Amino acid sequence: MGVLVRGKSGKAGERRKALGRWLTEHRWPARSVPRPPAGSVPRPPGGLRLSARSRLASLPVLRLPRTRRVQRRLVQGLMTACVLALVPATWMRLESGDRVGTTAEAPAREVAVVFGAGLWKGRPTPYLAHRLDAAAELYRTGKVKVVLVTGDNSRVEYDEPDAMRTYLTGRGVPDERIVSDYAGFDSWDSCVRAKKIFGVDRAVLVSQGFHIHRAVTLCRTAGIDAYGVGVDEPRDATWYYGGARELAASGKAALDALLRPDPRFLGPEEQGVTEALATGAR
């Protein structure tokens, strides 16, 4: 069976006719002639290339199972996976539900803990800056006396705690009231180190709303009487990304709460928080 090609007068029409003849000549029978291996098909005359649609038509097609039984099992498997992904996040919201509020609602505690949220060209990202703004407000209103900044300093060129300290001093928080944790590589490490290394027993935690429930749950698991301040953010792409990321992070956090592993780096106890509180009492 031939291929009908509508051509135009001139060279364009001749090229279309040549392509039609080539397609007709190289049309393989269904069974008698095996399809040549990839890369051995001769090119059309005149240097013409097959269209993207023709190339896509030769690719294998992913087909759903035809039997209802298999389809039902596939849907059930997907639903089960979704439920399992939501269970840890739901548990953490229930666990910390009445312990999350605004800066105005936060109880008076001696220490505020601010979790790192990335740097851009050595300065806090907007999300981290908003966390630090909330911590500075807690200090100005007398809700907290010391701010513990915990973040990543695993590389010389990347120092979250020092960038957070610089930002806070620029917002009126005295340098002697800021304590740096340079090994807060994730939320669990930050909570455990706040308790075991810096001796924090009660604290106000500061983070975005999509993360604060996880932070409160993990710090309570680590032995800290924690209250969380959820910083409001516009519902932009970053916010939705953070919310989606929480599903995976909540699964890891649930394992941390269950297994309670040691942080990546624990180290000796430090007196930074105790000394900062003593300085404020003078």
Side-chain angles (χ1 to χ4, degrees):
M1 181 177 179
V3 178
L4 178 60
V5 178
R6 295 182 179 178
K8 296 182 180 180
S9 60
K11 294 183 178 180
E14 293 179 0
R15 290 164 67 90
R16 290 175 180 270
K17 290 180 181 179
L19 174 61
R21 288 194 300 271
W22 184 87
L23 290 173
T24 302
E25 294 171 359
H26 293 87
R27 183 180 179 87
W28 296 287
R31 296 184 180 179
S32 60
V33 180
R35 185 181 294 271
S40 64
V41 180
R43 296 183 60 182
L48 294 177
R49 296 179 180 273
L50 290 176
S51 65
R53 182 179 297 180
S54 300
R55 292 194 299 271
L56 290 175
S58 65
L59 296 176
V61 179
L62 179 63
R63 300 182 182 277
L64 293 175
R66 294 184 178 182
T67 63
R68 290 182 177 273
R69 182 179 181 182
V70 178
Q71 291 176 355
R72 191 184 307 114
R73 287 185 176 180
L74 178 61
V75 172
Q76 290 173 347
L78 291 175
M79 293 179 63
T80 301
C82 291
V83 170
L84 291 176
L86 291 173
V87 165
T90 303
W91 168 65
M92 291 181 186
R93 281 190 171 270
L94 294 174
E95 184 72 14
S96 60
D98 59 344
R99 290 175 171 265
V100 174
T102 64
T103 53
E105 297 168 341
R109 301 282 171 87
E110 291 185 330
V111 181
V113 179
V114 185
F115 297 84
L119 302 178
W120 175 252
K121 295 183 179 179
R123 297 175 59 85
T125 60
Y127 270 40
L128 180 53
H130 296 164
R131 297 181 186 185
L132 297 168
D133 289 337
E137 182 181 347
L138 290 171
Y139 179 81
R140 285 194 302 268
T141 56
K143 292 290 185 70
V144 301
K145 300 177 181 178
V146 173
V147 180
L148 173 61
V149 292
T150 173
D152 186 355
N153 182 214
S154 57
R155 311 186 301 275
V156 174
E157 68 278 8
Y158 190 85
D159 191 341
E160 276 188 315
D162 277 358
M164 295 162 76
R165 175 186 290 272
T166 300
Y167 188 95
L168 284 173
T169 55
R171 297 302 183 277
V173 181
D175 185 73
E176 63 270 17
R177 300 294 186 88
I178 304 171
V179 180
S180 299
D181 175 13
Y182 294 97
F185 301 124
D186 60 22
S187 299
W188 174 250
D189 285 12
S190 295
C191 290
V192 174
R193 285 178 55 81
K195 173 66 176 180
K196 293 185 176 182
I197 303 302
F198 296 94
V200 176
D201 296 318
R202 304 172 74 237
V204 176
L205 313 181
V206 184
S207 188
Q208 267 70 34
F210 54 74
H211 170 248
I212 195 62
H213 294 276
R214 176 161 60 96
V216 169
T217 301
L218 290 177
C219 280
R220 292 188 66 196
T221 302
I224 298 175
D225 181 6
Y227 183 93
V229 170
V231 180
D232 289 331
E233 296 289 349
R235 300 299 194 264
D236 56 7
T238 304
W239 188 90
Y240 284 109
Y241 167 77
R245 179 179 176 275
E246 275 301 300
L247 293 178
S250 295
K252 176 186 179 301
L255 289 177
D256 288 337
L258 177 65
L259 302 176
R260 304 190 181 192
D262 285 335
R264 193 185 315 177
F265 178 79
L266 192 59
E269 295 183 7
E270 298 185 19
Q271 302 299 317
V273 171
T274 303
E275 293 173 356
L277 289 172
T279 301
R282 294 172 186 171

